[in-house]
Structure formats: structure tokens, C-alpha cells
Amino acid sequence: MKVHMIVRPMLMLLLVVSFMVAGCQGVTPPPTGESPPNQEVTAPGGGEETSPQEDPRATPRNETLYVNGLQWGAPTNFNLLSGNPAFPINYGNSRELIYETLFMVNQLTGELEPLLGTKYEWTDDLTLRVELHPEAKWSDGQPFTSDDVVYTYKLGQRYDINWSNFWTYIEEVSADGEHAVDIMLNKDNPNKLTVLDSIELIPMLPKHVWEEIEQQAGGDLATIRKEINDDPIGTGPYKMYYYNDQKITIVRDDNYWGQVLFGKLPAPKYITHVIYKDNAAGDLAFKSGQVDVSQQFIPQVWKMWEDGAPVKTYLKEEPYYVPGSMPSIFFNMSKEGLDNPDVRRAIAMSIDYGKISELAISGYSAPMQPSLTLNTDAESKYVDQAAIKPLQWTTDVEAANALLDSIGAARGKDGIRVLNGVRLGPYEIECPYGWSDWNAALEIVAQNAKAIGVEIRTKFPEAPVWTNNLQTGKFDIIMNTPAGGVSPSQPWNRAQTIMYSKGVAPIGEMAFWNWGRYQNDRADAIIEKIPTVTDEAELKALYTELTQIWLNDIPSIPLMYRPWVFDTVNETVWKGFPQEGDGSNIPPQISMDGAGIKALYQIHN
Amino acid sequence: MNHSVRILLKSPKFMLGAVLLLLMIGVVMIYPLINRNDPLEMIALAYQPPDSKLLLGSDNFGRDLFLELIYGIRTSLQVGLIAGVFATAIGLVIGLASGYIGGMIDNLLTAVTNIFIVIPSFVILILISVSIDSRSSFVTAAIIGITSWPWTARAVRAQTSSLRNRDHVNIAKISGYSTPRIIMYEILPYIASYVVMAFVLQMASGILAEASISMLGLGPYNTISLGIIMNWALVFEAPVAGAWWAFIPAALSIAVITFSLYMMNTGMDEIFNPKIRS
């Protein structure tokens, strides 16, 4: 018996030790919001390591572009309708390699650039007309026509797939001849912005291929999802070449129709995505030049070039990456104490945003300028910066304390303030465990709040618990990213996610935006109006007013700017990747997503 | 009793363990009185190596790791103590009841104990920790205690059922003493030494359980424990950054605490266990 009592603690000691050892190998969740599952994959063979004898499908290093960070774990299928297709089919991720979208979004300008579509225009208030490139064709030689576009859109109407949500706003999609399509908006919900998202997001599928698959499956989505589609037919410049558990390689289609559009073929003959075990393994391979383009969070990336590696980020100086989203904290507007906008403002002023940027994401966040818009050219043009300036907060603990003093929130014996009989805390602030940059940010917020006499405690539950708390409103303060990503519907989409109160279920039931249940009639009216307005001056006035309301009411506080994708390149083999100020206007979208794919035509050995 | 204590004090193993433990308790009680800083305050850059100001460097948040370590040891000792009390108390009550009363109740309680023994308690610990919404260090300690009592119960039951047929217990029964009184005065004193030893072991395993569960990220919120220090070090890739000071001292502290408790236990065993006692 005694032996058992000793053995058990010994086992636990062993467990602790084994964690430490595991830690030394770097098995930790990468500090990104989209944490890759730590699947056990055998050590990846980098390009140089696999000799031709071992792997008949090995590709020459100087003809192959190596990528990481877009695929974690072995690929299971290349079927867009399956819900979890592997690189490069994954939805909205590496968009223009095999399947293409009608237009390519450019993160730098927010504009849509022509690809399969040549131009789009609103022929009336409810109709978007898209003209298609007459020379576009599928990799099996069949022409790409309006039938394919209509078919692809309607897949989303028939089945519950990635682009089904657009059908909330779309009434009908119809062909107008071979090379034009009309997208009719839903009269009850005419949201032009969201429909514009669809033309840069939905990958075009060949009707002649998928109709057959659909027929064989008898129209049953569950059966269609089982299709592996290991040789996808797309319009894009690449075709599937080879894949296994460690890598996925695609090969250039030398008959690519887009030569008429781009003037030539993309430079790399092959693109290989190497599947690494975790962030640390991927970072190491990238640093040593085994990977050319990395979409991984690399802590202190500047150390790589200081150490002499030919590594580049899009911006030469801090914050190195172009911002794409604003992870924020949301207040539960019904919590006593937090329902006071002055308390929320004081908390906003107490937060050390510089420290969050430095400690949580290696300084990749530019100085915080609170607004509904990102501090990019594509978004900041929507708001009159001078008009919102007086309302924007900066880190100022003294002023925050003075503000709380002025509203009569006096400090109790324990140093925590009491406002009208309500003790300001303990409030719980939460985000999922293991999202390390967020965990760090919240620890800093909690620590900062102490200095103004507000007690905030961190809480890091498992992700499903956090999701449930978020949607049902069972939180005091909670962290989430309001509408991340870059698309034509920004910044409206973000504003809607933060402030729109219609259709938001009461606390206790599920809400999918405005988690804190903020309510402002004027804000609702503006949010409803913006998608119908095209006049730029009017848009700017509306966005400015909305931002002023947000800055006054503070339903959320952005904690950092986060890149949309971490686009870092190593120029050991491939050179000439776009960088800020090179005049190319090619956005840092990992050289293969949206307008970022233009980089593939620019790079060289 | 006094006699036993005097013998104990002569045991080098027990003394080594006890002195180590007392030393540690002394340091963690006194140091916070000298250095009154908030251990959670972020005063330096991330992962600063140890120097004269920061004795053990800083962690990923730029917090003073030495100060954190002191508070961490304190929390871990508290958690161990509470877990030990819970586990020993539950084990004692169930063991005494089933061993002394016997019959159906014995069968029932033994069955329950066996069920708890075959289910790995760490798994239960994980499941409970995941499902509860708010975790303080007390709650975590209580859960650890509630999942780790069965071996104590078993041992106590075995000893009790052998004791209940002894002459002095029978005399007490004939004299009309009540059951609680018999258990209290006729049985408990005979197993007291075992209970103390079990408690020491439960405390050690409680500290380890807290460290394990905290390293999984399921530990208590808003406090510093040794497991939590190591968890942050892992999440922020301290081993990759070469910041050994972020996790080695914490791991060593756990080892020293459990070592001292085991030494105390072994020392006691040599004295109280008639088979080993020379």
C-alpha cells in the first residue's frame, strides 16, 4: 500500500519532468489566434534533405518555392466543400493558386483587382454586374464561363458550405451571355458591401467536374464531403503534383490562361508547403533557408537578419507587418460598474498598449490610435482623423485616476474604488488558454487596472468554454477579434460586429456579434445606412460620426493591431519579394493570396 | 506521544526533511515582509537573465522571478496542505467507518474506494478542472484532495478491521461506550502514526498534482504557483529562448519540497513501522 502511495506521486513527478522535456523540444501552441493542432507528424524532410534516390518526386531547389504556416497536420482532402481542405485549397487562405476568385483583394489599398472577372459595376441599386475574362479556361482545357460562376454561387444556396452566408444578401445569380454575370441583391437586405466580399472570396469551381460529383453523391452533402479531389481542376496557374503527410507540392501549369493577363508565367515551377510539427520547427527551417515564405508567428523576427539570415518583412521598420485586425476587449454592458462609460474610459486610459505590443507580439503592433478603423491607408481614409482626435485616449494613468475621482469613485481600504456603492471589481477578463499573445495582453490589462483601483482578474478557460461565454454574454470583460481580415466590407463589417444591436439575442442566448449587448439607436441607423451609400464624402461623414459614438461609449477597447497574415520571406534562393516603397503595390499576402500572388511573377533566383 | 517525538528527533532522515521544509517555510514567510513589491508587477524586459537586482532574472512578462518563486512556493505549500488535509480526512473517515462498522457498510465503502482506485485520479482531476468555471487555489486544492484519498482509506480500513477485534476494544464495547468514542479513544491512537505519515505523503503528492495540472494550463487563476510559473515558461517558449531561469528554479523547488516531505516520511516509517524499526 505504501509503495502505491509513493509510486503515484513519483509518476506525477515523472509527468512534470516529461512536460519540461517536451517543452525543451518546443511542443507549445504557437502564439497565434489560429493555433495549429499539434499533430504528431514525422520529421519533415526539407527540400535539400530528400535526395532524388529516396524521393522520385523531389523537385529542384532553385525551381521550388517553399512555404510554411498554412497547413498543420497531414492533408486529408482537397475538396473545397469538405469544410477542411488542405493547402492550397483552404478557403480564403491561399486563394489564387489552383482555384481562382473573380477578383483579387489588395490589402494595401482595399481595392479589388481583376482576375477571372475583368470589371464589376452596379447597374442599378440592386444589381452587380461582373464581366468575365473571355480567355479564361480550366486546367483541363475547358473554357471558363458564366455558367461556372452561377453554378459555384448556387452551391452555396443548395448546401451549407463556406459561402452560404452570402445568400442572406443575394436574391439570385444569373448568366448574361457567356462572359457576364448579374448578382441580384436581396431587396429586404441589400448589403452591397457583403456582396462585394463574395467576388473576392468565393473560389470558382468547374461546373463540368462538380456536377458529376454531385450527381454521383445524389445531392447529399455528407457524401460530397467525402470526395478527396486529389487532382483538383481549377483555373489557377498551378496543378497538384504530389502530397504526403509531410509536404504538399503543386506544379506550374504551363498552359495557364492568365499569361494573357500577367504577361508571363509565375517564376517558381513548383510550390511546396512543408508540414512542420510546430511553430518552433517551422521557424528554425525558415531561418536556415529551407523555407522561402513563412506564414508563422516568428518572435523577434529582427534577430534573424541581425544574425545574418537574408530575411525580410514587408515593412523594414517596426511594426514589420501590415496590420489586418484589432483584437479587442468587450465589456458586458449590463455589469454594474462596467456600465459606466467613464469607468470604461478610465480602464482604456490605464492600459499600457506599448507594453502589450512589446511583450505579447514582439512589437509587431504599431502605437494604438483607438478608432473603428485600422491605421492603414485602406481604412483610415474613411474617418476624419482631426474630428476624432479629441476623443481618442492614450495611456495616462494619472488622468484615468483623476477621471475616476471626478465621478466620485473613491478608493476603499483595499485600494479598490467604490462607485455609488458598487465595488469596481473583481471583474473577470477572459480569453482561451494557450493563445499566448492574448493571454499576455490580458495579464497586462489586469495589472494595469490595479493602478487605477479597478480589480480585474484574468481567466483562461478552454476555447469552447470561452466561445460559449462570449456568445451567451456570460462574462464581465472578454477578448475577441471583431471581424478580422481585409475585405471590401471593412471597416463596416468591424463596426457592425462591435456596435450593431439588432438581431442580437439577450444575455443567456447566443449572439454572434456585439457580444457585450451594446445598444445605441443612432449607431444602428448609421450601420444600416453605410452599405447603401456610395458617395465618398457622405461615407466619411457617417464613419466619422459612428467612430465618435464608439469613442464616447467605449463598448470595446482594441488592445493591439495584429497582422492579417505573418508574411516573412527568406531570400536565400528566391529574391525580389515585394517590400514597402518598392513601387510595386503588391501586398504582403504570402505571395499567393489575393493580389499578393503578383509577387510570384516578380521574384527570381 | 512525547516519547515518539523524542525518537523522531533523533532520526537523521526525518530531521533533514523537517529542517529543509522549515527553512523553506521560513524564507517564504519572511521574504515578502522584506520585499513588499507586488510579484505580478512587470518591472523589467522579458526574459532578463539573473543579475544583482533580479536574483533569478525576469519571466516572459518582465516580472521578478525570485519574488514570484517565493510566492509560488507559498501557494504550492498551501495547496499541498489543503489537499493533504482533505485527502487524509476523507480517507480516515471512510477507512474508519468501513473498517470498524463492517458488514454491508464495509462492502459498500470498499466498493466505492476500489472504484476510485481503478479510475486514474489525474484524469478525474483534469476533467473536473476543465468543467468548473472559476478556479481559485483553494478549489484546486480541494479537488486534488477529493481525488486522492482512496489509498489512505484502504490502509486505514485494513488497520481498523484488525484493531476492532482486539481485547481493549472488546472491553470498551462491553463497558457500553458509544461507537464514536471507541473509534476516537481505542482505535485512532493506534493508527495515528500511520495517519501522520499518510498526510505527509498526501501533501507531497498534492503539490505535485497542482504542478502537473497547472502545467497543463488547468491550474488556479490569478495566483502564482510553481506549476503556473513553469506553464508560462512553456507557453512562451522559454526553453527555446534559452531562459533556463524561467523554469529550472521552479522545478527545483518542487523537487526540494517533495524530497523533504519524503525524507520526513521515510524517517517516520523507520520509527513507527515495527517491521523496519531496529
Side-chain angles (χ1 to χ4, degrees), chain B residues 13 28 77 115 117 125 127 198 213 242 246 250-251 261:
Chain B
K13 282 184 185 167
V28 301
L77 282 172
I115 289 171
I117 285 173
L125 187 56
L127 290 176
I213 199 135
L261 288 169

Side-chain angles (χ1 to χ4, degrees), chain A residues 9 20 28 355 433 450 458, chain B residues 38 42 222 231 234 247 262:
Chain A
M20 293 315 301
T28 50
K355 198 151 221 163
Y433 171 75
K450 268 187 200 168
T458 54
Chain B
D38 180 353
M42 298 154 188
N222 297 295
N231 175 45
L234 276 189
F247 53 94
Y262 283 137

